[in-house]
Amino acid sequence: MQELVEYLAKALVDNPDAVEVRTMEGDKSVIFELRTDPSDMGKVIGRNGKIARAMRTVVKSAGVKTGKLVHIEILD
Amino acid sequence: MKSVQKSARTVDEAIEAAIQELGVSREEVEVTVLEEGNKGFFGLLGGKLASVLVTVKEPEIAEADAQVEQTEKVAKAKQFLEGVLERLEVDAEVHETAQEDGTILLEITGENLGLLIGRRGQTLDALQYLTSVVTNKGGADWMRIVLDAAGYRKRREQTLRQLALRMADRAKKQQKRVYLEPMSALERRIVHMALAEDTGIETHSEGEDPNRRIVISPKQR
């Protein structure tokens, strides 16, 4: 799943090399911390968070198999 | 070949002025930037004007360029989507077709695509949106991309059309407004279209996404 988050983020930004994803896995949930170049933040968030929401929806579908809740946090 | 040289505060403004003078659209010209220009210190000191040379493309070249851009975009969309499928560990194939209205339809076929469609197609919608954003990144024209998986959209379209007709009937018979369930913009469009020619009713939408819904109201006779 981490690979999927990275893949999506890298495709969206202008500076893919600056994309970093950290995974914190608990018993019931997985949290992905996503960092990008500051100038690319808007590209992974989108207007009214629309892009971020779409990313969450897609990654969640990957999480269904594991039965864990999935969160993506975008950090600056 | 017609061409014109223009200067303005920014490159964009200079291009705009040039295409206005030539009376053509942005897609029909080739732009050479002669001088980037800069605003100077708070637009006061040492500001340099941007300067461009704008040439009208031969029609065949303009068409060929558009074709190449289209082909490149479709390839990009397909590649992105295949990358996502691979990482979702979904074994599926992507097949692209251009629709009459210029929309690109990417059809996904394979086993167990339920995961990819999601509840009421929300995963498919999300993936469609991401594919559009990634594909159109930095391009001038926005290419409309529609994703389908295992024929979901086609089936859903039929269901929605039938529902629309049934509910329009009810609105007319009971002379009452009928509220449909919330739907995405794409789905609402299908319902509006299905009822566009029914002169006995009117359709409009109320509320804000994701709870925006269609209301069918009977017309006063």
Side-chain angles (χ1 to χ4, degrees), chain A residues 3-4 7-8 10-14 43 46-47 50-51 53-55 57-58 61-62 64-65, chain B residues 79-84 86-90 115-116 122-123 125-127 129-130 133-134 137:
Chain A
E3 217 199 320
L4 176 65
Y7 179 78
L8 294 174
K10 285 186 176 182
L12 289 162
V13 300
D14 289 330
K43 299 239 163 57
R47 199 184 302 153
K50 203 173 167 192
I51 295 177
R53 217 176 312 133
M55 268 207 291
T57 305
V58 172
S61 79
V64 169
K65 278 184 202 159
Chain B
Q79 196 195 356
F80 169 75
L81 189 56
E82 283 168 346
V84 175
E86 194 189 311
R87 285 161 184 83
L88 282 171
E89 290 168 30
V90 171
L115 186 91
L116 206 62
Q122 62 177 1
T123 307
D125 286 342
L127 196 50
Y129 179 64
L130 291 176
V133 172
V134 168
K137 196 174 77 177

Side-chain angles (χ1 to χ4, degrees), chain A residues 8-73:
Chain A
L8 294 174
K10 285 186 176 182
L12 289 162
V13 300
D14 289 330
N15 187 359
D17 290 341
V19 169
E20 255 178 66
V21 180
R22 265 184 45 191
T23 305
M24 280 165 298
E25 194 152 1
D27 290 340
K28 289 180 182 162
S29 64
V30 192
I31 300 170
F32 298 102
E33 284 186 354
L34 171 60
R35 276 172 217 274
T36 67
D37 188 283
S39 65
D40 276 333
M41 292 264 300
K43 299 239 163 57
V44 291
I45 295 172
R47 199 184 302 153
N48 298 323
K50 203 173 167 192
I51 295 177
R53 217 176 312 133
M55 268 207 291
R56 281 190 189 105
T57 305
V58 172
V59 176
K60 259 183 207 163
S61 79
V64 169
K65 278 184 202 159
T66 64
K68 288 182 184 176
L69 287 172
V70 174
H71 299 279
I72 301 177
E73 303 213 354

Side-chain angles (χ1 to χ4, degrees), chain B residues 85-135:
Chain B
L85 295 176
E86 194 189 311
R87 285 161 184 83
L88 282 171
E89 290 168 30
V90 171
D91 190 16
E93 271 181 47
V94 181
H95 181 78
E96 77 276 18
T97 36
Q99 309 285 91
E100 274 171 36
D101 64 355
T103 304
I104 300 299
L105 174 66
L106 295 172
E107 286 182 284
I108 307 165
T109 49
E111 305 270 302
N112 300 324
L113 297 181
L115 186 91
L116 206 62
I117 296 166
R119 196 173 142 263
R120 281 174 186 262
Q122 62 177 1
T123 307
L124 193 62
D125 286 342
L127 196 50
Q128 173 173 307
Y129 179 64
L130 291 176
T131 308
S132 295
V133 172
V134 168
T135 307

